[in-house]
């Protein structure tokens, strides 16, 4: 299914989400916005913790928000940070995104590049990944 939102529109929602980040330790707010196969949009921002390692990235906040609402396939996710263009998903988030990649295709990762919007496939960011399909067994 093609997305009812343009990459620019999804990136704008990620920009809005960054305003809701809780990033007092890094001072590096990040926002994310994703669209599911059934056209629902979910946002997230990074939420840090005084115990530093327990913070959660914007992408995972958005994904968990969507999954808790019953979403399954994430068609595209945009990530935006005021201090970095682009702000690509970290390795942990890439692995989490693999879990929600549509069965019939790839997920678009939408970033703000130095010269405008960049769209990359999840496959290009985490090739040969281990995911739910690898746990499917015959019979
Ligand atoms: N962060 C994200 O939320 N997403 C990214 O793609 C990169 C990093 C957060 C984690 C931490 O709260 C802050 O940015 C600095 O690493």
């Amino acid at each position: 299914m093609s997305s009812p939102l343009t990459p620019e529109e999804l990136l704008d929602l990620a920009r809005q989400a960054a305003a809701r980040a809780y990033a007092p330790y890094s001072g590096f707010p990040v926002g994310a916005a994703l669209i599911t196969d059934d056209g629902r949009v979910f946002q997230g921002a990074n939420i840090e913790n005084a115990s530093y390692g327990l913070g959660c990235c914007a992408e995972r906040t958005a994904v968990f928000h969507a999954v808790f609402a019953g979403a399954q396939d994430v068609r595209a996710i945009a990530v935006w940070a005021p201090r970095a263009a682009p702000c690509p998903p970290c390795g942990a988030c890439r692995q989490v995104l693999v879990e929600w990649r549509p069965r019939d295709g790839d997920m678009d990762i939408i970033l703000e590049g130095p010269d405008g919007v960049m769209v990359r496939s999840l496959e290009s960011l985490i090739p040969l990944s281990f995911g739910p399909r690898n746990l499917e067994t015959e019979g």
Side-chain angles (χ1 to χ4, degrees), residues 3 6-7 10-11 13-14 30-36 41-45 57-64 66 73-80 87-89 93-94 96-98 100 102 106-112 117-122 125:
S3 171
T6 64
L10 206 57
L11 200 53
L13 290 168
V30 184
L34 64 80
I35 186 154
T36 63
V41 170
F42 296 89
Q43 290 164 289
C57 290
E59 296 90 323
R60 275 177 284 157
T61 304
V63 166
F64 296 153
D73 290 350
V74 175
R75 184 59 63 188
I77 183 167
V79 189
W80 189 85
C87 180
C93 287
R94 293 177 195 204
V96 168
L97 291 172
V98 165
W100 307 104
D106 210 336
M107 187 189 299
D108 286 339
I109 311 296
I110 300 166
L111 308 170
E112 173 143 311
V117 177
M118 300 167 53
V119 183
R120 296 286 182 275
S121 67
L122 181 59
L125 296 187

Side-chain angles (χ1 to χ4, degrees), residues 23 26 28-30 45-48 56-59 79 87-90 93:
S26 69
F28 191 88
V30 184
N46 52 334
I47 301 174
E48 298 183 348
C56 188
C57 290
E59 296 90 323
V79 189
C87 180
C90 75
C93 287

